[in-house]
Amino acid sequence: MSVSSVITTTSKTRGQNQVHADELSRSFALTTRLDAIVAWGRKNALWPLPYGTACCGIELMSVMGPRYDLARFGAEVVRFSPRQADLLLVAGTITEKMAPVLVRIYEQMLEPKYVLSMGACASSGGFYRAYHVLQGCDKVVPVDVYVPGCPPTPEAVLDGIMSLQRMIATQQPRPWRDNWKNPYDQT
Amino acid sequence: MTKLEELKKNLSEKFNTANFKFSHNFGDDVLEIPKDQIAPVLRYFREIGKFDFLMDICGVDYPARALRFDVVYHLFSSRDGSRLRMKAQVGEGDSVDSAIRIWRGADWFEREAFDMFGIKFSGHPNLRKILTHHQFVGHPLRKDYEADRQQACNETLPVHFDDTDSESGAILNENLVPINIGPSHPAMHGTLRVMAELDGETVVRASCEIGYLHRCFEKMAETHPYNQVIPYTDRLNYCSAPMNNVGYCKTVERLMGVEIPPKAQAMRVILCELSRVIDHIISVGTGGVDLGALTAFFHLFTYREKVYTLFEKLCGSRLTVAMTRVGGMAQDAPEGWFDDVLAFCKEMRAGVDEISKLMIDNKIFIKRTQGVCPVTAQEAISWGYTGPLLRASGVNLDLRKTAPYYGYDALNFEVPVGTSGDIYDRYLVRIEEMKQSIRIIEQVCKNPPGGDYTIRDKGIVLPEKKDVYGNIEGLMNHFMLVIKGLRPPPGEIYDATEAANGELGFYLVSDGSANPYRLKVRPPCFAIYQSFPHVVKGAMLADAIATVSSMNVIAGELDR
């Protein structure tokens, strides 16, 4: 839902003064719902944490690089500190050894936070049906968007980010996020 | 007198060679000896300077045999380019004398053999797991371990160090500050973990934890037919994927006794050199980023994208290309491709000059790298360094010159060699290598050979699609090759190519079936990175970061 579509229309039941005030405000301001404008801000200022572990990390460099330029989507401020990031870009194979680290990084991120799983390995283990590879990072963290490919082209990653932006703007419910529990929590 | 006879004579002067078995298989010299003779013979070779490099140590599992494991050593002489494979049989629970006192570089290779097979090396101060996680039970490369049996890990190890002869690595010095860097840290490239103890900003003790990207390449290779292994090789050193394809296919082809046509050779040379250029782009670019210089990275990535475009034209894929097949290439180059490559070379030549001005003429860059953490030639050889890092230390060794393949001997290029082995020299060597690679590509592209891009042996190469759909013979050949698979003769072989990071070796054991029995990769950065704790000892923390990036550790081939 874009900002313009949530502008409230004047109610006919309101008094003359009210209408006058509304016309006045329309000339220099717009009205919207608070949550819609917040979502609009969020979707256009994603700060990604590039969790690049393998080949996809190299393609992620291309996404950030001069030709594909993620900055056009407002997500170029790459932060390696989870405290400053709100989008976890899991780019590459997550092994069993890496999984506890990934969960710890995810837990350190502040709300609202989103996860994008880039590539076949991060999404499902890919063609590594192997003894040391986690069969998809959604086994340990809640994933919002899966981007297929091995590795995905930068266009596919941009499309994934745009999908995530749509999800944020429409405030789509995320039960996978709400019901998520830390798989390593013993208590 | 052949090299093997000479070796036999050499050894008989010093050892009782009655139990030694000398053989010459598929062009490789092999020496099978009893396991208690391994260390003395290795020491003897090192002392007389017969072989100066210990390239690889690995295990092979034969569960039906009484002594079930083979421990395999690959030796190399930079003097005359000769190689020797030494093998000893070891039973379960037996131990072999460690080679760590003879070659420092044996360290991680022995730990890997222990982790993967459970082979014990007595005298190794620090024989722990290296690639699998600490809660992993069993030894995954044994034949009785199922490829897909995963074991979960639910915690990470705290900061710890390597055990030495005198002290335990688990006990920290309370007067020093322990720090943990990575695996999620911008300077650690996603998957490396370095732990250090600091006195102020000086590194007193450091250690590396690897295996965060252990994707079980070698087990996957054992469970897939020969041609299906090619996409897995792409993902070893993903910064220069075609080079791994070429290295693997060259090994299988040598085992099968196949000579690929000139056009395939030329295309492979072009792909290799283009990959070398883009690999060095990543190395130099991210090296700059780690030192705080972002401009060169963005600038260099423009050129990397141009190479991706060339790859896309050739095969449709950008990064992981899987362009070679056993017997040649997957398809022919499209019309005008060689001219596109030539046009790129011209642009790239100007680009490299610009970058060298940006980076190696930069005052800050020079101050951060010159004279920092140097490695001498002797140390480098002892650790098993190869490639640009070895050459930066002043050793003129390049397999394209020492053991030329694919017509490299007919091409005109020079091998840049550094003097001091510091970080600055490593970047100098890489930048000069980019220029030399462009020279090679131009020579090949100006006069590309004609003819077919692959051999046409029906038992090795799939027929073209028009034959599969167009006539019964093509259909049958296709069916047979897919069902029966490509089957090299039983035997074993070690073959190496000069990859962007150094010697990329493949040790392939075939039992005559459609899958490799064992495929061991000798990754160049594995040998290099194991020296890291020793190289940065006593240096500043910021220098340690610069060292990691100059080593160009690619987790895909480090952890496999």
Side-chain angles (χ1 to χ4, degrees):
Chain A
M1 205 186 303
S2 68
V3 173
S4 57
S5 65
V6 293
I7 295 174
T8 50
T9 49
T10 318
S11 164
K12 280 178 185 167
T13 56
R14 288 184 191 170
Q16 197 63 36
N17 287 343
Q18 188 82 41
V19 171
H20 178 72
D22 273 347
E23 276 169 2
L24 192 69
S25 73
R26 222 172 273 143
S27 63
F28 63 86
L30 54 87
T31 53
T32 174
R33 292 200 320 274
L34 181 64
D35 52 353
I37 190 102
V38 169
W40 175 78
R42 272 180 191 158
K43 89 171 191 166
N44 289 310
L46 289 167
W47 287 23
L49 186 152
Y51 205 88
T53 61
C55 340
C56 284
I58 306 294
E59 273 305 66
L60 192 60
M61 288 184 195
S62 285
V63 178
M64 304 283 175
R67 183 179 286 183
Y68 294 96
D69 197 9
L70 194 57
R72 294 177 294 153
F73 300 87
E76 83 276 29
V77 191
V78 173
R79 281 292 176 268
F80 283 93
S81 164
R83 302 284 187 214
Q84 300 172 346
D86 52 7
L87 168 61
L88 181 63
L89 277 171
V90 186
T93 317
I94 301 298
T95 58
E96 301 282 6
K97 196 173 187 170
M98 186 62 110
V101 183
L102 180 69
V103 172
R104 188 161 170 192
I105 295 283
Y106 179 73
E107 286 222 299
Q108 287 174 346
M109 289 169 66
L110 302 182
E111 291 287 357
K113 52 188 173 184
Y114 309 92
V115 181
L116 186 143
S117 153
M118 175 180 173
C121 289
S123 303
S124 71
F127 71 172
Y128 293 101
R129 188 167 288 263
Y131 58 84
H132 201 252
V133 176
L134 191 71
Q135 301 297 298
C137 71
D138 53 2
K139 294 251 189 301
V140 292
V141 291
V143 176
D144 294 294
V145 178
Y146 299 88
V147 180
C150 188
T153 57
E155 290 96 330
V157 181
L158 294 181
D159 184 56
I161 294 215
M162 286 161 74
S163 309
L164 183 66
Q165 288 181 329
R166 278 194 296 277
M167 278 173 66
I168 297 171
T170 55
Q171 295 157 47
Q172 193 180 329
R174 299 192 298 148
W176 53 87
R177 163 78 195 91
D178 303 334
N179 300 331
W180 179 77
K181 277 201 230 32
N182 183 340
Y184 303 116
D185 233 351
Q186 301 298 326
T187 50
Chain B
M1 191 156 51
T2 65
K3 278 178 183 162
L4 197 65
E5 281 161 3
E6 199 182 320
L7 194 80
K8 208 170 178 172
K9 195 167 146 270
N10 256 335
L11 279 176
S12 59
E13 287 164 10
K14 178 102 180 173
F15 296 92
N16 174 16
T17 54
N19 290 330
F20 291 16
K21 204 177 136 205
F22 297 85
S23 55
H24 186 80
N25 297 326
F26 298 98
D28 289 359
D29 290 337
V30 186
L31 167 60
E32 288 169 61
I33 61 175
K35 75 177 173 69
D36 51 335
Q37 291 292 310
I38 285 271
V41 171
L42 284 176
R43 188 178 297 279
Y44 176 65
F45 282 150
R46 179 88 209 246
E47 272 162 11
I48 62 167
K50 181 93 190 152
F51 295 100
D52 45 0
F53 282 86
L54 177 63
M55 280 301 181
D56 190 27
I57 302 174
C58 68
V60 188
D61 183 19
Y62 300 95
R65 228 167 51 182
L67 298 172
R68 80 182 271 188
F69 302 116
D70 264 358
V71 187
V72 186
Y73 297 76
H74 285 105
L75 298 169
F76 175 69
S77 159
S78 62
R79 199 165 34 85
D80 56 357
S82 61
R83 289 179 189 277
L84 177 72
R85 175 158 64 246
M86 271 169 62
K87 294 203 298 184
Q89 296 192 0
V90 188
E92 201 169 344
D94 288 356
S95 61
V96 194
D97 284 338
S98 169
I100 196 166
R101 309 249 177 268
I102 308 161
W103 270 284
R104 301 288 297 280
D107 188 352
W108 279 13
F109 288 103
E110 287 180 351
R111 276 178 68 187
E112 192 194 327
F114 167 72
D115 190 4
M116 294 292 127
F117 294 95
I119 299 167
K120 294 194 181 72
F121 293 88
S122 57
H124 193 295
N126 196 35
L127 200 65
R128 306 182 273 127
K129 284 172 175 294
I130 184 163
L131 294 179
T132 58
H133 58 77
H134 64 285
Q135 292 165 325
F136 197 92
V137 181
H139 301 285
L141 276 185
R142 289 187 178 187
K143 288 288 173 187
D144 47 18
Y145 194 97
E146 298 92 348
D148 59 352
R149 201 171 94 212
Q150 285 123 15
Q151 298 185 24
C153 172
N154 58 24
E155 56 173 13
T156 43
L157 278 175
V159 172
H160 59 277
F161 296 91
D162 289 350
D163 293 339
T164 58
D165 296 330
S166 52
E167 57 184 338
S168 159
I171 301 165
L172 304 184
N173 184 338
E174 56 190 24
N175 298 322
L176 303 172
V177 182
I179 60 159
N180 175 72
I181 315 170
S184 175
H185 184 276
M188 290 297 139
H189 303 184
T191 34
L192 313 175
R193 182 181 175 199
V194 169
M195 293 156 286
E197 274 187 333
L198 303 182
D199 179 12
E201 272 197 66
T202 310
V203 178
V204 178
R205 189 156 65 142
S207 89
C208 311
E209 175 78 29
I210 66 166
Y212 286 99
L213 193 63
H214 178 49
R215 302 192 276 196
C216 332
F217 168 80
E218 285 161 16
K219 195 76 176 177
M220 290 292 98
E222 289 173 18
T223 49
H224 285 76
Y226 281 91
N227 266 326
Q228 286 185 15
V229 176
I230 295 171
Y232 285 100
T233 62
D234 267 324
R235 288 151 184 84
L236 288 170
N237 182 348
Y238 34 73
C239 291
S240 52
M243 273 184 166
N244 309 305
N245 297 163
V246 170
Y248 168 72
C249 285
K250 184 166 170 278
T251 311
V252 182
E253 281 153 10
R254 232 189 86 199
L255 184 63
M256 302 187 81
V258 167
E259 180 79 20
I260 61 167
K263 186 161 193 188
Q265 293 190 10
M267 283 172 75
R268 284 187 183 184
V269 169
I270 295 171
L271 284 177
C272 280
E273 296 309 319
L274 281 175
S275 321
R276 197 182 310 278
V277 171
I278 61 173
D279 192 283
H280 289 346
I281 281 179
I282 290 266
S283 171
V284 175
T286 55
V289 172
D290 289 349
L291 298 177
L294 205 60
T295 320
F297 169 76
F298 280 119
H299 200 77
L300 279 166
F301 237 82
T302 320
Y303 296 103
R304 210 178 142 94
E305 287 288 346
K306 282 176 181 160
V307 177
Y308 282 156
T309 312
L310 292 174
F311 286 172
E312 266 181 311
K313 269 188 187 166
L314 192 60
C315 74
S317 178
R318 287 160 49 89
L319 184 70
T320 45
V321 290
M323 241 177 305
T324 63
R325 294 288 179 274
V326 177
M329 304 299 293
Q331 57 215 354
D332 205 353
E335 211 173 308
W337 188 75
F338 292 101
D339 299 331
D340 292 345
V341 176
L342 273 177
F344 163 76
C345 286
K346 209 172 153 199
E347 271 181 82
M348 188 69 217
R349 205 176 269 279
V352 175
D353 288 342
E354 236 174 339
I355 291 310
S356 54
K357 277 187 208 135
L358 253 177
M359 301 276 292
I360 58 180
D361 294 349
N362 183 322
K363 201 171 166 184
I364 303 170
F365 187 80
I366 294 172
K367 285 202 161 166
R368 285 291 305 271
T369 55
Q370 215 160 45
V372 172
C373 297
V375 177
T376 63
Q378 283 88 354
E379 281 171 344
I381 291 174
S382 176
W383 282 114
Y385 276 37
T386 45
L389 263 77
L390 179 69
R391 293 192 280 275
S393 296
V395 182
N396 184 358
L397 175 68
D398 189 320
L399 290 181
R400 295 173 295 173
K401 291 280 189 195
T402 331
Y405 49 96
Y406 297 155
Y408 271 115
D409 43 347
L411 295 167
N412 205 354
F413 68 102
E414 274 145 44
V415 179
V417 176
T419 49
S420 59
D422 61 1
I423 296 176
Y424 187 69
D425 275 14
R426 294 174 189 167
Y427 287 112
L428 273 186
V429 166
R430 285 212 169 91
I431 285 180
E432 186 55 36
E433 273 188 19
M434 283 158 85
K435 292 182 190 165
Q436 297 299 329
S437 289
I438 296 168
R439 251 177 94 189
I440 297 174
I441 301 168
E442 281 176 341
Q443 289 171 52
V444 181
C445 275
K446 271 184 187 141
N447 200 4
D452 214 344
Y453 59 90
T454 173
I455 56 163
R456 292 291 170 194
D457 189 322
K458 294 182 192 91
I460 298 173
V461 181
L462 288 173
E464 281 187 78
K465 276 279 177 279
K466 68 173 168 52
D467 292 325
V468 179
Y469 295 126
N471 60 57
I472 186 69
E473 198 200 339
L475 184 67
M476 276 159 57
N477 288 335
H478 185 273
F479 178 81
M480 283 309 288
L481 193 55
V482 170
I483 296 296
K484 196 168 143 268
L486 173 79
R487 286 170 190 255
E492 50 184 63
I493 200 160
Y494 178 87
D495 202 59
T497 50
E498 183 73 27
N501 264 343
E503 170 167 328
L504 175 71
F506 285 92
Y507 171 53
L508 173 66
V509 182
S510 158
D511 61 350
S513 70
N515 298 355
Y517 185 78
R518 169 96 169 96
L519 181 65
K520 169 72 171 63
V521 186
R522 189 262 173 210
C525 67
F526 190 76
I528 292 168
Y529 190 48
Q530 63 179 337
S531 69
F532 175 78
H534 305 265
V535 172
V536 300
K537 208 171 198 167
M540 305 292 268
L541 183 61
D543 296 343
I545 300 294
T547 305
V548 173
S549 48
S550 76
M551 284 178 170
N552 192 27
V553 184
I554 308 295
E557 66 173 11
L558 178 77
D559 297 343
R560 281 153 285 147

